[in-house]
Amino acid sequence: MQTKNQTTDFFLGALSPTGFHGYFETLAAQDGLRLYLIKSGPGCGKSTLMKRLAERAEGPVERIHCSSDPDSLDGALLWQYHAGALDATAPHTLEPAQPGARERVVSLYHTFNNNKLSADAGKIATLFDRCGCLQARAARYIASASALLLDSRRTVACCLNTEKAGRYAAGLAARCLPKTGREGCEQVRLLSAVTPKGILIFRDTVPVLADRLVVLEDEYGAASRLILERLRTEALRRGHRVITCRCAMAQEDKIDHLLLPGLRLAFLTSNSWHPMQFAGQQNVHCTRFADPDALRARRRRLQFNRKAAAELLAQASAIQREAKRSHDALEEYYKSAVDFTQVNAARDALFAELGL
């Protein structure tokens, strides 16, 4: 949740080295959040419905974008209403754990002309298969790039003075993270992802949530990984609400950014993959924690890894664009078989239930 009456943008999942990896289920487990799980086919109005929700709602709104098509939404969280709507279909299929009590399924399947879809079943199956194969291929390129970047991170980690970096993190926590006496809580998001548009970063989200920005300039993510992990631990221990923005290519291994809206504070990692430039930011050059001679001795290896990873990620985005073209073709079959009058009626009923 944010503290200003403005809209923020995140991903809640993305293509990773192991395929699609997301955090949609964490929202279903969040106390006090009523979820509407939207079920329908491609191109049948799910994203449009959520965009309308985001536009009509008062108070802070969080838009969850689709990493396979960032112009589409996978979710809209309406914090003033303690409610949210999510695309609950593959690859982020969700089923209600407490039907009616905490989640409600909003099915739009009744709007289909099933006879028309059955007549095109072979073509539809081919396009679904093609999309899946292309996304799997893109994930393999991402996996190769991720392996190179991990090699670089481990290479630089061998050059780090970890005690010095740890002391810096402890001092930063002491200065910036007051104890509250409350229990800390965490939300997990992605601020960037590999998409058909390349690496897309929602930089405009940062100033909505934070005025004080500590930017860790770290090309390889070795020092920033250590510092951000320790800051996350301290922030939660001291009772703060933390938005942990994980690295899309190493979601279980590396944090890219920490946002603390209650303190209007952000700790950000900046490098060539997701540069961060804001007025008034405090820059921390992470080379200060490394042995410069040891880094120079490994420079050619690091340069090779970075260049090769960039080429692999560019190819992953190109494959995702190809997958999107197939998905767009798939949407045309469904659009021609959907009664959008019924879709709009379901949308209006949802608006009325939420008081919009």
Side-chain angles (χ1 to χ4, degrees), residues 279-291:
Q281 69 185 36
Q282 175 189 341
N283 292 316
V284 180
H285 298 285
C286 288
T287 51
R288 66 193 276 188
F289 305 114
D291 180 338

Side-chain angles (χ1 to χ4, degrees), residues 25 105 115 210 246 294:
E25 71 284 350
V105 174
N115 291 332
R246 293 199 165 270

Side-chain angles (χ1 to χ4, degrees), residues 311-331:
E311 292 177 356
L312 287 163
L313 292 176
Q315 186 62 25
S317 290
I319 296 168
Q320 285 181 292
R321 287 193 291 274
E322 191 177 348
K324 185 181 181 304
R325 286 192 289 270
S326 293
H327 194 271
D328 290 345
L330 189 59
E331 287 186 350

Side-chain angles (χ1 to χ4, degrees), residues 226-243:
L226 184 155
I227 292 168
L228 290 174
E229 284 287 359
R230 296 195 181 184
L231 287 172
R232 170 187 172 272
T233 299
E234 279 301 302
L236 292 172
R237 189 178 70 82
R238 296 175 186 221
H240 296 284
R241 183 170 60 83
V242 181
I243 301 175

Side-chain angles (χ1 to χ4, degrees), residues 144-346:
S144 298
S146 177
L148 290 170
L149 296 176
L150 176 60
D151 179 75
S152 293
R153 190 159 68 249
R154 288 176 172 173
T155 298
V156 174
C158 293
C159 308
L160 281 183
N161 183 331
T162 55
E163 289 187 8
K164 183 177 179 182
R167 288 195 301 271
Y168 178 80
L172 202 55
R175 293 192 300 273
C176 299
L177 302 174
K179 294 180 180 179
T180 67
R182 300 188 299 269
E183 183 177 351
C185 62
E186 180 180 38
Q187 296 171 323
V188 180
R189 301 287 188 271
L190 304 176
L191 198 62
S192 61
V194 181
T195 79
K197 295 183 175 183
I199 298 176
L200 185 61
I201 311 132
F202 291 124
R203 290 185 189 84
D204 289 346
T205 289
V206 174
V208 175
L209 299 174
D211 303 313
R212 290 188 295 156
L213 310 176
V214 179
V215 178
L216 304 172
E217 299 278 357
D218 191 355
E219 182 60 32
Y220 304 105
S224 61
R225 176 180 178 273
L226 184 155
I227 292 168
L228 290 174
E229 284 287 359
R230 296 195 181 184
L231 287 172
R232 170 187 172 272
T233 299
E234 279 301 302
L236 292 172
R237 189 178 70 82
R238 296 175 186 221
H240 296 284
R241 183 170 60 83
V242 181
I243 301 175
T244 300
C245 298
R246 293 199 165 270
C247 173
M249 290 186 291
Q251 294 185 31
E252 301 307 314
D253 182 59
K254 183 175 179 294
I255 297 171
D256 277 341
H257 320 289
L258 292 175
L259 307 173
L260 293 94
L263 296 175
R264 302 290 303 165
L265 172 65
F267 301 103
L268 310 171
T269 304
S270 180
N271 51 41
S272 59
W273 308 106
H274 41 78
M276 293 291 175
Q277 294 294 329
F278 300 96
Q281 69 185 36
Q282 175 189 341
N283 292 316
V284 180
H285 298 285
C286 288
T287 51
R288 66 193 276 188
F289 305 114
D291 180 338
D293 293 332
L295 282 180
R296 276 193 293 271
R298 295 160 173 80
R299 182 173 57 189
R300 292 185 65 181
R301 177 180 177 179
L302 296 172
Q303 288 176 339
F304 172 85
N305 284 354
R306 181 167 56 184
K307 182 178 179 180
E311 292 177 356
L312 287 163
L313 292 176
Q315 186 62 25
S317 290
I319 296 168
Q320 285 181 292
R321 287 193 291 274
E322 191 177 348
K324 185 181 181 304
R325 286 192 289 270
S326 293
H327 194 271
D328 290 345
L330 189 59
E331 287 186 350
E332 292 304 315
Y333 283 104
Y334 277 87
K335 285 178 182 177
S336 67
V338 167
D339 182 349
F340 282 98
T341 301
Q342 293 187 65
V343 173
N344 292 339

Side-chain angles (χ1 to χ4, degrees), residues 24-104:
F24 286 78
E25 71 284 350
T26 64
L27 288 178
Q30 186 168 326
D31 288 338
L33 185 64
R34 185 169 31 129
L35 284 181
Y36 295 85
L37 307 180
I38 314 298
K39 302 274 191 177
S40 190
C44 296
K46 300 187 297 294
S47 176
T48 301
L49 185 155
M50 289 183 281
K51 286 179 181 178
R52 298 293 177 268
L53 280 173
E55 290 167 359
R56 293 182 59 153
E58 297 179 357
V61 171
E62 184 178 331
R63 295 185 297 205
I64 303 297
H65 291 259
C66 172
S67 62
S68 297
D69 179 7
D71 294 327
S72 295
L73 292 187
D74 277 343
L77 304 178
L78 319 178
W79 293 113
Q80 184 165 307
Y81 301 79
H82 305 289
L86 294 176
D87 180 344
T89 57
H92 32 73
T93 305
L94 286 174
E95 296 299 333
Q98 300 174 31
R102 291 186 58 177
E103 307 102 346
R104 177 188 156 194

